[in-house]
């Protein structure tokens, strides 16, 4: 069941002609979409209940628009936050556009991965004047992995608040999914103690990277992206920890925003490096920098 709620942030005076007024002045509104519900089976702290990698259709917040911000949460039916203090964990979700190819991994069956987060629930806000275009023919799907540390089953929704502007009112950006696991899988293994793992992609696009954020699992320290060709850094996303449900867990990953963060050329080698200091060896960690680039 899906609920959509809109709240105007400014008087709407949308135009498809970006030259008619500065892109930074584009009027916006917020649209909240609740995806779900999912009922996660009960479990224990050692063996949580799980709904692993469920794929569902994902309604878009609009038919033709530019998305300039996105804020995810895991909630109960009444809208209150669901987290590890009451059992549920948002292990990860990925929203993909099945009508487009992933820029970094064009043969990915997921399509173009445009929004994602783990339990850190990272909010993305593009710099003024930039946005992710949504077209009427785009088809969104959501891959979701949910866990539950409570003995009782929990019914939850993923709630995402999008900030949207009129179609063509911003400079378009496209997603760059830079994954230490490479293109075949996001999972890789780490030993106990400090370790690093890197992966390099030769860019097929050039332009200005304007936003990026990281994603890691417990034990992660930080994840970085850099242009190995020029030596320029792109983003360093540190992991912030807290205790929830009696467990030490990541509650925040750093974000990077700038106009630009970095300028890359077609053929540049972009490297993502994931740093861990895990108390035990693990075989299912991740190290991802999700960036957005304005081509040209």
């Amino acid at each position: 069941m899906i609920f959509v709620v809109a709240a105007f942030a400014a008087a709407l005076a949308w135009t498809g002609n970006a030259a008619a007024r500065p892109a930074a002045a584009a009027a916006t509104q917020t649209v909240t979409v609740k995806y779900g519900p999912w009922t996660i089976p009960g479990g224990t702290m050692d063996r949580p209940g799980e709904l692993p990698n469920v794929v569902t259709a994902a309604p878009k917040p609009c038919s033709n628009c530019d998305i300039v911000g996105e804020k995810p949460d895991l909630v109960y039916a009444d809208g209150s936050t669901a987290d590890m203090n009451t059992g549920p964990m948002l292990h990860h979700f990925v929203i993909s556009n099945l009508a487009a190819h992933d820029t970094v991994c064009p043969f990915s069956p997921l399509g173009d991965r445009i929004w994602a987060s783990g339990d850190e629930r990272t909010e993305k806000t593009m710099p003024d004047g930039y946005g992710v275009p949504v077209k009427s023919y785009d088809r969104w799907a959501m891959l979701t992995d949910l866990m539950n540390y409570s003995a009782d089953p929990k019914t939850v929704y993923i709630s995402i608040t999008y900030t949207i502007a009129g179609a063509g009112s911003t400079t378009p950006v496209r997603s760059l999914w830079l994954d230490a696991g490479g293109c075949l899988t996001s999972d890789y293994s780490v030993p106990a103690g400090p370790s690093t793992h890197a992966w390099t992609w030769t860019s097929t696009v050039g332009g200005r990277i304007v936003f990026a954020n990281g994603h890691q699992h417990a034990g992660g320290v930080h994840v970085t992206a850099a242009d190995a060709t020029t030596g320029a850094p792109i983003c360093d996303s540190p992991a912030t920890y807290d205790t929830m449900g009696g467990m030490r867990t990541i509650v925040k990953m750093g974000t990077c925003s700038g106009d630009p963060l970095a300028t890359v050329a077609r053929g540049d080698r972009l490297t993502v490096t994931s740093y861990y200091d895990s108390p035990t060896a693990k075989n299912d960690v991740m190290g991802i920098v999700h960036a957005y680039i304005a081509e040209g």
Side-chain angles (χ1 to χ4, degrees):
M1 191 173 185
I2 296 156
F3 304 88
V4 179
V5 180
F8 283 92
L12 292 181
W14 291 357
T15 174
N17 181 1
R21 58 195 171 99
T28 62
Q29 62 171 325
T30 58
V31 177
T32 298
V33 182
K34 287 175 70 176
Y35 301 92
W38 294 274
T39 298
I40 319 169
T44 66
M45 297 303 290
D46 294 327
R47 299 190 65 178
E50 187 172 12
L51 291 177
N53 291 330
V54 177
V55 178
T56 58
K60 301 173 295 185
C62 54
S63 179
N64 283 285
C65 69
D66 295 350
I67 298 179
V68 301
E70 177 254 9
K71 183 178 182 180
D73 199 3
L74 188 68
V75 302
Y76 294 112
D78 63 1
S80 61
T81 294
D83 58 30
M84 291 171 62
N85 287 322
T86 55
M89 177 186 183
L90 175 55
H91 193 275
H92 62 258
F93 79 86
V94 180
I95 291 181
S96 298
N97 178 16
L98 300 180
H101 294 295
D102 190 277
T103 303
V104 176
C105 302
F107 300 107
S108 170
L110 295 176
D112 186 16
R113 295 167 286 186
I114 51 177
W115 309 110
S117 183
D119 206 43
E120 65 273 11
R121 310 176 195 203
T122 300
E123 180 176 0
K124 302 174 189 281
T125 302
M126 301 298 154
D128 285 346
Y130 294 92
V132 176
V134 178
K135 306 298 183 184
S136 60
Y137 51 79
D138 289 344
R139 295 182 297 113
W140 285 14
M142 174 181 276
L143 180 148
T144 309
D145 193 320
L146 301 171
M147 302 176 74
N148 180 19
Y149 290 90
S150 168
D152 300 320
K154 299 288 184 175
T155 298
V156 296
Y157 300 79
I158 292 177
S159 175
I160 302 181
T161 297
Y162 301 93
T163 303
I164 64 177
S169 63
T170 67
T171 298
V173 297
R174 63 191 299 181
S175 170
L176 295 181
W177 187 277
L178 303 172
D179 196 322
C183 281
L184 296 180
T185 178
S186 290
D187 295 335
Y188 70 94
S189 300
V190 294
S195 65
T196 61
H197 189 83
W199 184 77
T200 297
W201 171 66
T202 299
S203 183
T204 57
V205 296
R208 306 176 308 282
I209 295 178
V210 298
F211 185 89
N213 68 275
H215 172 67
Q216 291 183 302
H217 289 180
V221 179
H222 66 129
V223 59
T224 70
D227 188 328
T229 299
T230 65
I234 296 172
C235 182
D236 185 357
S237 177
T240 299
Y241 285 81
D242 202 348
T243 299
M244 297 187 69
M247 297 177 62
R248 184 172 180 264
T249 188
I250 294 175
V251 295
K252 182 180 179 181
M253 293 294 302
T255 62
C256 303
S257 181
D259 188 11
L261 287 172
T263 299
V264 302
R266 185 187 299 266
D268 282 2
R269 298 171 68 250
L270 307 186
T271 298
V272 55
T273 306
S274 183
Y275 299 81
Y276 271 76
D277 189 359
S278 179
T280 61
K282 298 180 179 180
N283 60 10
D284 59 351
V285 305
M286 294 183 180
I288 298 166
V289 171
H290 191 190
Y292 297 82
I293 186 170
E295 291 187 81

